[in-house]
Amino acid sequence: MSRSKIFITLFCGALVGHTIASPLSNTESEIVQYVNEQASNQLQLLEKLVNINSGTTNPEGVQKVGDLLIPQFEALGFTTRWQPLPQNMHHAGSLIAELQSKPGPSILLIGHLDTVFPHDSHFQHFSLTSDGKWATGPGVIDDKGGLVTILYALKALKQVGALKQANIIVVITGDEEFAAKPTEISRKALVNAAQKSTIALGFEFALSPNELVIGRRGLSEWILRSSGQAQHSSTVFGPQSGFGAIYEQARVLNEIQRALSSTPGLTINPGLQLGGQTLQENAEQENGTVSGKKTIIAAQAMTRGDLRYLTNQQRDKAQQNMIAIANYALAGARSSFEFHSIIPVMEPSEANQTLLTEFNAISKSLQGPTLQAIPPEQRGGADISYVADVVAANLDGLGPWGHGAHSEQETLEVASLSIATQRATLFLLQTISKH
């Protein structure tokens, strides 16, 4: 017997104690029972997905994960297709599974196939603790745990006959962790699905059992370029030579930190810096090379970083301040900024809060905790952010929970798989009945 099968014996009592509650309808009780009974199968599928490397830069592995899911969706009556990206974008495309049972709009479910762990990572395999409480592996919560939550919620709906009246589109992207540019192409399938949907649900991992996401910060990229005069170092600070490119970069970054670091919800991070006589950056590989001498004033310098913000207005004001700081260059130097939008803001809205309220009622009916909104500044961008302005109501963080995402300590609380699946299934059941 595999270790993933052992857990159901160990935790059946704990799960039932958490989930059996009143008032539940007969159909809802059947869903809860079905999800509990399928817990071992769900974990086994997660193990298979995790053991396939699907780092963003490994498109073949990403597609293998998607190909494993396709027959599962088709067995539920969904039509599936791959939406490939142009070959020069070097990323996998998106897997779309669609069920259109009647005229009208759809419910959009969002997940992703890729992880942050490349093909040569040391972190490659699923592992379950001897007591069955915890599982580790690349993607156990981000986002392969979310994928099996989606799939088994749909299986539970089929079990009670609810899919016969459902319009659902599932979009599973292949490069959420590092979206191919331009995103107008790499997120086209997602946006197209959103235009046919009234609700979008994201199955990113949750930070805790009692928190969901109704807002996410936006993300932009900035590049600071500075130049100076390549003179002998003995003349640095002098009227003819000035301060050089590296001192100028230090000035700009220091002034940004002093002027903007206390703005609530705003972060400005310099992540890569190069400086010397010459420099060459490889933006795709996020590295670069420089050359120079300690006896020569630096002629070139650049810094690449990110800007995270709560609203577009906050972003615009920050960018204006950064440009103004760059315009007052040190003697003998010049600076300029470039800005590129990456992920839009998912602003908290009344409609998003309404979805959270409905999920909270479901959690309480399952004898679970009161659900609260995570402050947007605690969550970065995600795929749902690209459609937040397209779909009327959005909610994210619906996957299972654990800790250590994006690290080799990525860990899933195993019992959370069934809890997250029950919540999602009951919410979808209610939503389908309203449509």
Side-chain angles (χ1 to χ4, degrees):
M1 180 183 295
S2 72
R3 294 177 70 192
S4 60
K5 285 185 176 180
I6 295 172
F7 111 97
I8 188 61
T9 302
L10 294 170
F11 279 91
C12 183
L15 283 171
V16 170
H18 183 93
T19 57
I20 291 183
S22 175
L24 291 177
S25 69
N26 290 339
T27 300
E28 290 170 334
S29 296
E30 184 179 351
I31 285 171
V32 170
Q33 181 179 352
Y34 176 83
V35 172
N36 285 339
E37 290 172 347
Q38 292 295 314
S40 182
N41 292 332
Q42 188 178 29
L43 192 64
Q44 287 182 67
L45 178 59
L46 176 61
E47 181 176 1
K48 290 179 182 178
L49 298 179
V50 168
N51 285 339
I52 300 172
N53 179 277
S54 60
T56 309
T57 56
N58 178 18
E60 294 82 7
V62 172
Q63 183 152 348
K64 285 182 181 178
V65 174
D67 288 343
L68 191 61
L69 294 174
I70 285 174
Q72 301 269 352
F73 283 113
E74 291 181 344
L76 297 173
F78 284 72
T79 59
T80 63
R81 69 184 188 279
W82 276 100
Q83 184 71 44
L85 297 180
Q87 196 168 20
N88 63 1
M89 296 182 83
H90 309 296
H91 285 183
S94 296
L95 173 63
I96 298 104
E98 187 166 2
L99 179 70
Q100 186 80 24
S101 299
K102 59 185 179 180
S106 296
I107 303 167
L108 174 60
L109 311 182
I110 303 170
H112 63 90
L113 300 161
D114 64 317
T115 74
V116 300
F117 303 99
H119 191 269
D120 58 356
S121 170
H122 295 293
F123 192 48
Q124 294 282 2
H125 300 293
F126 179 94
S127 177
L128 192 68
T129 58
S130 59
D131 60 7
K133 289 183 178 181
W134 306 95
T136 61
V140 285
I141 56 173
D142 188 20
D143 184 39
K144 293 174 181 178
L147 298 182
V148 297
T149 300
I150 292 173
L151 184 60
Y152 275 81
L154 297 176
K155 286 176 179 282
L157 290 174
K158 183 176 177 63
Q159 175 71 15
V160 298
L163 288 183
K164 295 176 182 178
Q165 296 298 316
N167 293 341
I168 298 173
I169 306 176
V170 183
V171 177
I172 309 176
T173 62
D175 61 350
E176 190 270 351
E177 300 292 1
F178 185 59
K181 309 297 186 298
T183 54
E184 290 80 6
I185 294 176
S186 64
R187 292 299 173 269
K188 184 176 181 181
L190 181 60
V191 173
N192 287 348
Q195 290 170 345
K196 299 189 289 184
S197 305
T198 54
I199 293 175
L201 304 176
F203 285 80
E204 284 285 305
F205 65 96
L207 292 178
S208 75
N210 63 343
E211 293 182 315
L212 296 180
V213 179
I214 64 170
R216 288 181 175 272
R217 290 193 294 175
L219 173 65
S220 292
E221 175 186 54
W222 54 265
I223 307 168
L224 170 64
R225 301 188 190 278
S226 301
S227 61
Q229 300 185 52
Q231 304 290 337
H232 195 279
S233 62
S234 63
T235 65
V236 71
F237 309 147
Q240 300 301 318
S241 300
F243 288 77
I246 291 178
Y247 269 118
E248 168 62 9
Q249 289 251 310
R251 177 199 70 83
V252 173
L253 296 175
N254 187 56
E255 291 191 27
I256 287 172
Q257 182 270 324
R258 291 169 59 184
L260 299 175
S261 62
S262 62
T263 305
L266 180 72
T267 55
I268 303 169
N269 180 63
L272 173 68
Q273 188 171 52
L274 304 169
Q277 291 311 108
T278 64
L279 66 84
Q280 185 171 7
E281 183 199 13
N282 186 328
E284 185 172 341
Q285 297 297 321
E286 297 188 287
N287 58 30
T289 58
V290 296
S291 64
K293 295 182 178 181
K294 65 180 181 295
T295 56
I296 303 295
I297 300 170
Q300 296 184 60
M302 66 84 62
T303 301
R304 185 181 292 269
D306 70 20
L307 171 67
R308 297 174 188 269
Y309 45 90
L310 293 172
T311 66
N312 291 333
Q313 293 76 14
Q314 187 182 65
R315 175 202 62 195
D316 294 344
K317 185 175 181 180
Q319 290 181 176
Q320 291 166 7
N321 286 333
M322 293 167 73
I323 291 169
I325 290 170
N327 285 340
Y328 292 95
L330 294 171
R334 297 180 62 185
S335 288
S336 63
F337 272 105
E338 294 177 28
F339 296 97
H340 305 282
S341 294
I342 298 178
I343 303 177
V345 172
M346 175 185 171
E347 293 196 33
S349 69
E350 188 174 327
N352 295 358
Q353 180 61 52
T354 297
L355 296 187
L356 175 58
T357 300
E358 293 174 0
F359 253 88
N360 180 57
I362 289 169
S363 178
K364 300 302 288 184
S365 74
L366 294 170
Q367 293 186 349
T370 299
L371 303 181
Q372 301 174 338
I374 300 174
E377 57 267 29
Q378 294 184 16
R379 294 306 295 256
D383 277 336
I384 198 169
S385 303
Y386 293 98
V387 302
D389 287 340
V390 180
V391 182
N394 306 269
L395 190 63
D396 203 357
L398 303 182
W401 46 88
H403 58 267
H406 288 203
S407 77
E408 294 189 3
Q409 289 73 48
E410 184 173 346
T411 302
L412 164 75
E413 184 177 340
V414 172
S416 71
L417 271 178
S418 290
I419 299 168
T421 304
Q422 290 165 11
R423 288 177 181 175
T425 311
L426 296 189
F427 176 83
L428 289 170
L429 181 70
Q430 292 181 11
T431 305
I432 291 167
S433 66
K434 291 177 185 178
H435 286 66

